[in-house]
Amino acid sequence: GERFRPFIEKDDELYVFVTDICRSLKVTYDSTVTVHGIDLYRFTPPKEVFDNGNINPENKGFCVTGPNKVCLPSGLLDVNPCKGGARAPPFVASTPHFYLGDPLLYQLFNLVPNKEKHATFIDIEPNTGLAMQGHKRLQLNFAIPRSLNIKNILLNVNTSDVLFIPSFSTDEFAKISEEDADDFKKSVLLPLRVAKVMPYVMIGLGALLLIIAVIIVIVCRSNRRKTTSGANGECMCIE
């Protein structure tokens, strides 16, 4: 499975390369979930990842459609340049139901984007950086000019003149098995928890030994004083 650096923090920004769309996606912390008794950090792409280059300048490099390098509406990605160029079908990629995309895209087809059903995410064990659960969700859309002049598809395109029709979507899912999760808890999490507790145990034992030592010193001094006082008070009789 996917592996990141260990000791992941909630404010980290991670990157995942998605071969289907030929680009890296930034993912950020969303929530903490539990899988088979293991706490995982859920990371998912934020909205700015899907904004087009006119809204988010960091995505300007993905405006590659046609000779004029047109920016498609937010939520769409032209994958033709990395999937065969002019020989490839005029498909553009998006999340299912255009989740986090331009509202006009899903309103046209009366679609209802839903985070639980349509978001891509990866659940990471923060101590080790191991990905233990994830959904990769993708939708391919066929670009059809409103004029129905197929030759103009994704060439001298004006995005307002093109319909992006959802064709099909995929949902790739992976999850750690319960058996592997049990092995992980025994071999990794248990030693980590013991290691985290040990300093406090050692401090507690040290404090206890210090208290015992102080008590012993006090008792010894008290006994010594009693012994000295008794010796000074003795009387000897001489006949």
Side-chain angles (χ1 to χ4, degrees), residues 1-14:
E2 193 78 26
R3 183 167 188 172
F4 301 87
R5 62 170 179 78
F7 306 114
I8 299 294
E9 301 290 343
K10 292 181 180 180
D11 57 354
D12 285 340
E13 292 183 351
L14 307 177

Side-chain angles (χ1 to χ4, degrees), residues 129-141:
L130 288 174
M132 296 192 171
Q133 180 174 256
H135 275 274
K136 183 175 70 174
R137 291 159 170 157
L138 180 69
Q139 177 175 291
L140 287 181
N141 312 279

Side-chain angles (χ1 to χ4, degrees), residues 199-220:
Y200 300 101
V201 173
M202 297 303 294
I203 291 173
L205 287 175
L208 179 61
L209 291 175
L210 179 61
I211 292 172
I212 293 173
V214 171
I215 292 174
I216 291 174
V217 170
I218 293 174
V219 171
C220 287

